[in-house]
Amino acid sequence: MPAPETAAPAKLKYAERPEWADVEPLQQYEIANPLAPILYSEEYKDATDYLRGIVKAGERSERVLELTEHVIRLNPAHYSAWQYRYETLVALSAPLDVELKLMDEFADKHLKTYQVWHHRRLLLLLTRKPAPELALIARILQRDEKNYHTWAHRQWLLAFFNEPSLWEGELDFVDTMMNKDVRNNSVWHHRFFVVFQSGVREGEEDRERILKRELIYVKQNISLAPNNASAWNYLRGVLEHTRQPFGSLAAFVQPYTVPLPASTTDIVDLENPPPGRDADLPCAAAIEFLADVYEERGGADNVDKAVELWRSLANEHDTIRKKYWEWRIREALATSS
Amino acid sequence: MAPTTTMKPIPTDGFPTPTSSAQAETVKVLLEHFVAESSVPNLQKNAHMQFLMRNLSQGFPQRYTSQDASQPWLMYWTLQAFSVLQVGLDPGNKQNAIDTIMASQHPDGGFGGGPKQAAHLLPTYASVCALAIAGRPGAGGGWDQINRDQMYKFFMSLKQPDGSFLVAHHSEVDVRGIYCLLVVATMLDIITPELVEGTAEFIASCQTYEGGFSSASQPYYAPSNSDKPTLLGSPRPALGEAHGGYTFCALASWVLLQPFLPSTSTKINKKALVRWLVQMQGAPVELGGFKGRTNKLVDGCYSWWVGGAFGLLESVGIDPAAVSSSVRSDTQAEDGDWDDVDDSLLNRKALQEYILFAGQHPAGGLRDKPPKPADSYHTLYCLAGLSSAQHRVFPSAARRRDLLDSWTDTVDGGDQEAEAKENALRKRIFVEALSYTQEEGTETVVGGAVNRVNATHPIFNLTITHSDAMMAHFYGQVLPPRTLQRPAQT
């Protein structure tokens, strides 16, 4: 853990500063010996004593902004300091561009903290200027490609403001991130959000075409790295969302369920891109998919084929999930008999 | 030691990316900590107790300043870890715990992350659960000093038009907060149809195409004739991908909302949920630990958030034991005794091995994975995950009958019809929550009896004893004694 930073090094404690003399600092505990106390630094204790004093007095002033910034720098998860800061900014009609600039720095330093992102959101609800935000988010995601809050923030921004210009570059952004790491599940989720879950935008009305585009996209990515759970989950998600039978993909999936053939053909089949030469086959996700195809088709013969595949997962290809595959077998047999 | 033959490397298809590289590094470290399946280490109960006790009596080191707004959590994690380790506190420390927790109650309802901090749903859950462990009824006991009227008002003040709740004023919406609110409202007998209107729909909207749940969803509204705009059922996109912590909170919330759901209402996709949950269990080379998202690394805390979520499946109608035994014999013929009694869908044995081999820090306390340090959060959630992997705690029909038989209505002398309706709902909430019962004789304790820990309530993450006592108090009920529950013979 990095050492706590100081907003103003070598600055006097609040207790020693005449301009704070009118504030009565408030100790945290009134009881004598709290159990399991945190052993704070002197600086933190001093600053939070004054924060408690300010909150009790209900003061809204410039110096409250200084104090809350100080506390937040020492502990960015101090949600009460954030809350009080936000209310003070509003009460003072403080310049929000200045605050956002400060927040750019915080987003870089404390990108894993809920409050940093939520405070930005509150500010954006006031400024109503979402456009510059996308570039900042993209920059943060270059550094921390799977940051949950950052992705959720981007999705909120797009969905809430819902301006065509904001959505314009989104699929290109997905591609950029996907090219860095095709196994980044956050990127796959973002693609699903953009394509299927946020309404139909201009130019995307032909859903047949969109479905075809997405299937080609995911199949090519599976061909690139077959044992990528994110891609298979996306494929399943697309089919379920658009109510397409899994069976429509059987021809594509089949070659992934068996060992790699000794010689591969060089025919380029865009509909059914084959596994690459370095693929680790058979691929458990493909076997699972094919079993689902058989189960979907129904009838005793097909269920038998599905059971055989599940058994190969349980006993050979995916033994950690043995119990689950055996349950799938029992369920399928119970419903088919 | 050489990995066993079942330990296939994670396939990378000759196409490395940052995800597969991080994965490979983690596997390497994990395998260094794996000795042999035949020599599973003991759970170092003493070392873990020392670790917890040190924090409790000497205080948390300065680096815990980042948890200054989560002080009730530090207390809850510590006390509940003791409970799972079968250790109780002495009366002096208990009183000290009660007084410390009560200092964080906010005058306008709820609990804050510390004294004089704003009220927040997360520390409210942690405070109430810590009080379930350390507190008692009567003066100075904490339970009767919880201001339930103000707490209800605080909850209502956070309510959003889409059925969700802010975690605190001017703060974010997310399903962790909803789980915390529903647990507290259920335990304290302040849950009402008004409080939870629309909440189930919100939870359902957080389920992603992967089957797990995200942090929140984005509502859209259309104008309508009345003052209130109409909430659209679609689009209502999930914000963020499926995630272990959010999935546990969403599923547990869904279970707690059952008494309020008409049978025809909103649904969740259970099949996709089960699939996602089992997919989160890591491969043998990851020692069978759980991850929190697709293509992320295993982490000890998901032993509870994902591993523990399996304990809730029976409550939403997924009961692997229900399939007929004739079909079962077909697939389990060659298995040993263990598998005969184990109907769970996760690999309970592997999960315990992850915690024992990789989750324990040599100096005491438990952790995410080696070489990380131990902390209070991971200590509890590794232990709670270990507990859920050892014990089957299930909603028992027999216990439900006993509770129904012993129930007494509360009579306030108001409108009789309204009162009867209210009592019927309270009864159902109470009975469902306390029907969870530990099945005797089906424990699967890796490493032998010395590694056994206490069972924990699959929704609340409190022991059954603590859950029973607190709810009996707030619902004004006398509980029938619990009898041993053996598995049904088939």
Side-chain angles (χ1 to χ4, degrees), chain A residues 100 119-133 153 156-157 160-161:
Chain A
L100 265 170
H119 192 70
R120 288 197 81 84
R121 182 155 156 179
L122 292 177
L123 296 175
L124 289 164
L125 286 170
L126 296 175
T127 63
R128 300 259 156 187
K129 281 188 226 150
E133 194 71 359
H153 182 64
W156 168 78
L157 189 92
F160 181 82
F161 290 101

Side-chain angles (χ1 to χ4, degrees), chain A residues 311 326-327 329-331 333, chain B residues 320-321 323-336 339-340 343 490:
Chain A
R311 206 166 270 150
E326 289 174 346
W327 175 66
I329 292 171
R330 298 201 306 272
E331 290 269 297
L333 292 178
Chain B
V323 186
S324 78
S325 53
S326 61
V327 182
R328 296 182 51 191
S329 59
D330 171 65
T331 60
Q332 297 196 332
E334 71 264 56
D335 287 333
D339 288 317
D340 289 342
D343 281 309
T490 48

Side-chain angles (χ1 to χ4, degrees), chain B residues 101-371:
Chain B
I101 296 157
M102 292 311 293
S104 294
Q105 182 166 227
H106 195 278
D108 298 331
F111 286 76
K116 306 177 181 84
Q117 293 186 25
H120 190 295
L121 292 177
L122 273 58
T124 298
Y125 161 89
S127 299
V128 169
C129 286
L131 286 172
I133 301 165
R136 59 177 192 278
W143 290 8
D144 294 326
Q145 288 80 55
I146 300 172
N147 192 333
R148 293 190 302 153
D149 291 342
Q150 290 287 43
M151 183 155 338
Y152 187 81
K153 283 185 198 143
F154 168 61
F155 287 173
M156 285 304 291
S157 74
L158 301 171
K159 181 106 196 231
Q160 301 300 298
D162 65 349
S164 68
F165 294 84
L166 306 177
V167 295
H169 296 139
H170 303 306
S171 295
E172 69 277 7
V173 162
D174 86 50
V175 296
R176 296 170 316 156
I178 293 173
Y179 163 74
C180 289
L181 178 146
L182 291 173
V183 167
V184 169
T186 298
M187 296 219 300
L188 301 185
D189 190 17
I190 56 172
I191 193 165
T192 65
E194 173 200 37
L195 182 67
V196 301
E197 193 194 342
T199 306
E201 287 80 357
F202 173 79
I203 296 288
S205 73
C206 296
Q207 187 170 27
T208 82
Y209 67 92
E210 291 195 275
F213 289 73
S214 68
S215 64
S217 65
Q218 179 62 33
Y220 287 93
Y221 300 93
S224 71
N225 295 334
S226 71
D227 304 343
K228 262 170 76 179
T230 313
L231 175 67
L232 300 180
S234 169
R236 213 171 162 181
L239 302 176
E241 73 205 91
H243 180 284
Y246 297 122
T247 300
F248 176 89
C249 291
L251 178 58
S253 297
W254 189 256
V255 173
L256 289 171
L257 288 166
Q258 289 306 300
F260 298 89
L261 286 182
S263 54
T264 53
S265 70
T266 325
K267 301 253 188 307
I268 55 171
N269 185 342
K270 294 173 194 168
K271 203 178 160 190
L273 170 63
V274 175
R275 178 181 180 273
W276 184 83
L277 288 173
V278 298
Q279 291 294 338
M280 288 301 106
Q281 187 153 27
V285 281
E286 294 166 288
L287 310 189
F290 275 90
K291 41 192 86 181
R293 299 188 238 164
T294 303
N295 276 334
K296 289 269 283 178
L297 303 171
V298 290
D299 175 339
C301 76
Y302 297 115
S303 306
W304 171 255
W305 299 123
V306 184
F310 286 88
L312 296 167
L313 291 177
E314 206 170 323
S315 305
V316 295
I318 293 168
D319 179 10
V323 186
S324 78
S325 53
S326 61
V327 182
R328 296 182 51 191
S329 59
D330 171 65
T331 60
Q332 297 196 332
E334 71 264 56
D335 287 333
D337 289 341
W338 178 312
D339 288 317
D340 289 342
V341 295
D342 181 12
D343 281 309
S344 45
L345 297 175
L346 77 160
N347 191 326
R348 293 165 76 175
K349 183 165 165 273
L351 175 56
Q352 292 181 51
E353 284 171 0
Y354 178 85
I355 297 164
L356 295 168
F357 280 114
Q360 303 193 83
H361 194 280
L366 292 98
R367 61 186 169 189
D368 164 355
K369 65 174 83 58

Side-chain angles (χ1 to χ4, degrees), chain A residues 37 40 44 79 148 181 186 288, chain B residues 13 19 60 68 118 240-241 275:
Chain A
Y40 307 108
Y44 188 78
Y79 66 88
Y148 200 93
D181 189 348
S186 306
E288 178 194 17
Chain B
D13 301 310
T19 293
F60 287 92
D68 184 38
E241 73 205 91
R275 178 181 180 273

